[in-house]
Amino acid sequence: MIAKIGKAGANTRGVLRYLYDTVRAKDHTDPHLVASFDGFAPDPGRDEAATLAQLATVLDLRVKQAGDRAPEKHVWHCSVRAAPEDQILSDEEWAVIARRVLNATGIAPAGDPDACRWVAVRHADDHIHIVATKVRGDLSPPRHWNDYLSANKELAAVEKEYGLRQVVRGDRTAAKRPTRAEQEKARRTGSATTSRERLRTTVRTAVAAATNAEEFFTILSNTEVLVDVLYFPSGDIRGYKVALPDDTNAKGEPVWFSGSTLGPDLSYPKISERLSPTEPAPTGRHSGRRHTAWQQVTEAADHIPDLLTETDDAAGQAHITVLAETLDALPLIAPAAYKPQLAQAAAAFERASRSRIRARHQQAQATRRAIKAIVREPAPKDGALLAILLDAVLLAVVAAEHWHHTRHHDQQAEAARQTAEHLRTAYQAATLQPLTVIHQRGLRLAVTVTQRQAAVVRQALPDLAEQILTEPGWPALAATLTDTTAAGHDPTTLLTQAARHRELDTAGSLSDVLTWRLRRIAGLESQSATAAALGPNPSPAARPTTHADRPRRNR
């Protein structure tokens, strides 16, 4: 059940005319009152003697009495709509709901003789409209601050009590939706998205790639976007606005959007905070090998589930923000075949990237540095690196969903869930080719080696072993377990650790997921490209050196 509170109006009769109209509004059937402030308001829908003018006069009585003290826009209008699958409520039930909403918002507190005058009109099965005039009996205005949040909080309780669909609710941190005019303009021009949405994606991508504010504006200027930087008299940057060259108004002028109108986190102060100077990224080394940017981002994403569990909320929000930047960067660097799903994942996670918790961004700067580096490094030819990175990012997104859910961030948790679905699709496609290479190696393993690895699975995962051993992906997992042994790891320990990760229960193939998880944990990213050439049992001299000897925390 959703409440929608419109902008205050100045014409009570005009609103009532719309609510009772059955000619132009074809979906309006049998408009009538279900409740009113005193139970005796005239009802033009059911009483032939009553008129809209009479009803408007009753509602406007105190507005007239207040004279110049009355607000110019004195009409408060709220619609309350049930979900399509909800049961049809009676007029009496809608009347109770209307009074609860009016009480919660402060328009008409229960038992208050000076409460605002109001009526609730029903002209369809699934919703009502509440109209009130914002002058109390003592001719003062009502106190209805945050009426939208108050109404929806009350409706959440109504849903539980009436057994209705429990709607995912927000916390007013969502980006502003495109207006109807913007949507219609996009349709007329044949664009799948509005200018606001296209600009939001462009700006978010630029933030993910830029290392400082100056570079942020340079990146924006190099795209097909008009940029206007605004300055204080002192010369300091005050803000910015962007526009698309082909989006103009009636005068032929660009339609500008400030950063804050694109998203609450895209204002210049918020961007500047995230792009504040940090120490240069350290050169990671393990076992004599230099970490690539891809490996650094993978390791950073790999730590996010632990960090969300172990850090306070401000730091946790910072890590979720930087996870969003990772998702924004992925379409820039991934092969073309995966870009659509990754772009959809980034767009979905945009809603999950913000909450009312203020992020302490310095806690996530190490991850942010790695993201900046990855967009400047050529994508590896080895598709296994992308698969391993997507596995780590997918686990981080699932952890973010859990983090939001436990804090009752309903919209953010739902956005993270949708993001995970897009990532799974891209992940499954990315694993296909490299997994085939590893699978072929597994088929060439000696029987004794395969039996030894089967014993490892039975020891580490006794409840899942028989399912894993009968899956088509088992040969690839057997080959990977052999690689972990050759790299100096205990395969039983690593397999147990890999199975503790969240999201395993949603896997279509346990063996496939565990293959990539083991390769990531054991630092076998670079081996998949050379594995076929080395054969099923490479000599110690031919084996690539790994860099995964660092201790790992269990999850």
Side-chain angles (χ1 to χ4, degrees):
M1 188 166 281
I2 297 175
K4 181 179 180 181
I5 299 176
K7 293 182 179 180
N11 188 343
T12 306
R13 185 172 177 177
V15 175
L16 295 174
R17 186 182 302 116
Y18 163 74
L19 297 182
Y20 279 90
D21 176 38
T22 58
V23 178
R24 287 174 296 181
K26 301 298 183 181
D27 57 336
H28 291 188
T29 58
D30 186 25
H32 60 279
L33 294 184
V34 296
S36 65
F37 66 97
D38 64 355
F40 298 102
D43 183 3
R46 294 287 176 86
D47 184 354
E48 294 182 358
T51 65
L52 290 177
Q54 291 174 337
L55 181 56
T57 298
V58 169
L59 289 175
D60 281 340
L61 175 63
R62 291 172 179 168
V63 177
K64 300 296 184 183
Q65 292 174 340
D68 293 341
R69 295 170 55 189
E72 179 181 354
K73 295 186 176 182
H74 58 269
V75 181
W76 186 85
H77 179 198
C78 172
S79 63
V80 182
R81 184 178 298 271
E85 63 270 28
D86 285 341
Q87 67 205 48
I88 296 178
L89 301 175
S90 66
D91 283 356
E92 291 74 19
E93 289 171 320
W94 276 120
V96 171
I97 292 170
R99 291 189 177 92
R100 290 180 64 165
V101 169
L102 288 159
N103 175 65
T105 57
I107 293 292
D112 183 355
D114 286 332
C116 296
R117 294 191 165 202
W118 60 272
V119 294
V121 178
R122 183 179 188 180
H123 57 209
D125 286 339
D126 63 348
H127 70 279
I128 60 170
H129 292 260
I130 306 172
V131 179
T133 46
K134 297 193 296 182
V135 179
R136 289 170 45 79
D138 56 7
L139 305 186
S140 66
R143 296 181 179 180
H144 62 107
W145 182 255
N146 274 342
D147 49 6
Y148 173 78
L149 290 179
S150 300
N152 276 288
K153 183 177 180 180
E154 184 65 26
L155 290 178
V158 169
E159 290 166 352
K160 293 180 180 179
E161 294 174 24
Y162 284 71
L164 306 176
R165 173 187 170 188
Q166 296 185 27
V167 177
V168 175
R169 305 189 186 278
D171 54 7
R172 307 189 81 173
T173 62
K176 185 177 180 180
R177 293 182 179 180
T179 64
R180 177 176 294 182
E182 291 171 0
Q183 294 172 338
E184 291 177 351
K185 188 174 184 179
R187 282 194 291 268
R188 288 196 306 270
T189 57
S191 177
T193 56
T194 64
S195 296
R196 185 190 299 271
E197 293 166 317
R198 289 160 61 189
L199 288 168
R200 181 184 299 135
T201 299
T202 301
V203 171
R204 289 183 64 87
T205 304
V207 173
T211 57
N212 53 54
E214 181 180 356
E215 188 176 19
F216 165 69
F217 290 122
T218 300
I219 293 173
L220 274 184
S221 300
N222 289 335
T223 64
E224 296 181 0
V225 168
L226 302 177
V227 184
D228 186 13
V229 183
L230 309 175
Y231 296 90
F232 287 111
S234 63
D236 294 329
I237 296 176
R238 177 167 61 91
Y240 72 99
K241 55 184 180 179
V242 290
L244 294 175
D246 57 351
D247 183 22
T248 56
N249 58 23
K251 297 180 180 179
E253 301 168 337
V255 178
W256 294 97
F257 294 86
S258 66
S260 59
T261 61
L262 298 177
D265 55 345
L266 297 181
S267 66
Y268 178 73
K270 294 290 182 66
I271 290 175
S272 179
E273 182 182 358
R274 288 155 65 184
L275 296 181
S276 57
T278 59
E279 296 296 323
T283 300
R285 290 185 177 274
H286 268 288
S287 304
R289 292 180 62 84
R290 180 181 181 278
H291 280 196
T292 65
W294 280 67
Q295 291 164 335
Q296 291 175 29
V297 172
T298 299
E299 291 182 0
D302 192 28
H303 285 131
I304 287 178
D306 287 338
L307 294 169
L308 291 179
T309 301
E310 299 168 0
T311 58
D312 60 29
D313 283 359
Q317 179 60 59
H319 289 295
I320 288 178
T321 301
V322 86
L323 176 58
E325 293 178 24
T326 304
L327 288 162
D328 289 333
L330 282 178
L332 294 176
I333 56 179
Y338 312 119
K339 289 182 184 295
Q341 283 292 342
L342 293 178
Q344 290 177 0
F349 200 75
E350 186 270 339
R351 181 65 192 97
S353 65
R354 293 181 305 274
S355 71
R356 299 192 72 84
I357 299 171
R358 183 177 177 83
R360 194 163 58 244
H361 291 296
Q362 63 269 28
Q363 298 294 319
Q365 291 294 25
T367 306
R368 184 168 283 112
R369 287 194 298 264
I371 296 168
K372 312 301 181 186
I374 198 173
V375 298
R376 291 162 174 78
E377 183 175 286
K381 297 179 181 179
D382 181 6
L385 280 179
L386 176 62
I388 291 172
L389 172 58
L390 290 181
D391 179 51
V393 172
L394 176 56
L395 284 174
V397 168
V398 173
E401 177 187 355
H402 177 74
W403 189 88
H404 280 307
H405 181 73
T406 57
R407 287 156 182 80
H408 306 289
H409 301 163
D410 295 338
Q411 285 191 351
Q412 291 89 334
E414 173 62 18
R417 186 195 64 77
Q418 294 175 6
T419 303
E421 291 182 359
H422 293 302
L423 283 176
R424 287 188 191 101
T425 301
Y427 165 78
Q428 290 166 0
T431 61
L432 186 59
Q433 188 278 331
L435 193 62
T436 300
V437 174
I438 304 171
H439 184 86
Q440 292 299 321
R441 291 184 54 238
L443 293 176
R444 296 196 299 267
L445 289 175
V447 175
T448 55
V449 175
T450 303
Q451 291 174 340
R452 185 164 60 247
Q453 303 308 347
V456 169
V457 174
R458 289 190 176 95
Q459 180 180 353
L461 307 174
D463 295 336
L464 301 174
E466 296 311 313
Q467 176 182 344
I468 292 171
L469 295 177
T470 57
E471 288 181 342
W474 160 239
L477 179 57
T480 298
L481 288 169
T482 302
D483 291 340
T484 62
T485 303
H489 298 285
D490 179 359
T492 304
T493 301
L494 289 188
L495 193 57
T496 303
Q497 181 180 339
R500 290 196 187 106
H501 283 282
R502 298 183 182 94
E503 219 267 331
L504 190 61
D505 56 342
T506 65
S509 169
L510 295 178
S511 52
D512 288 352
V513 171
L514 290 171
T515 292
W516 293 115
R517 209 154 287 176
L518 283 173
R519 302 195 78 80
R520 174 162 53 82
I521 294 172
L524 302 175
E525 300 100 323
S526 61
Q527 291 193 18
S528 58
T530 58
L534 293 174
N537 296 298
S539 65
R543 285 191 209 106
T545 307
T546 64
H547 57 273
D549 298 325
R550 61 182 175 89
R552 302 271 310 176
R553 289 168 291 185
N554 292 334
R555 298 192 189 119

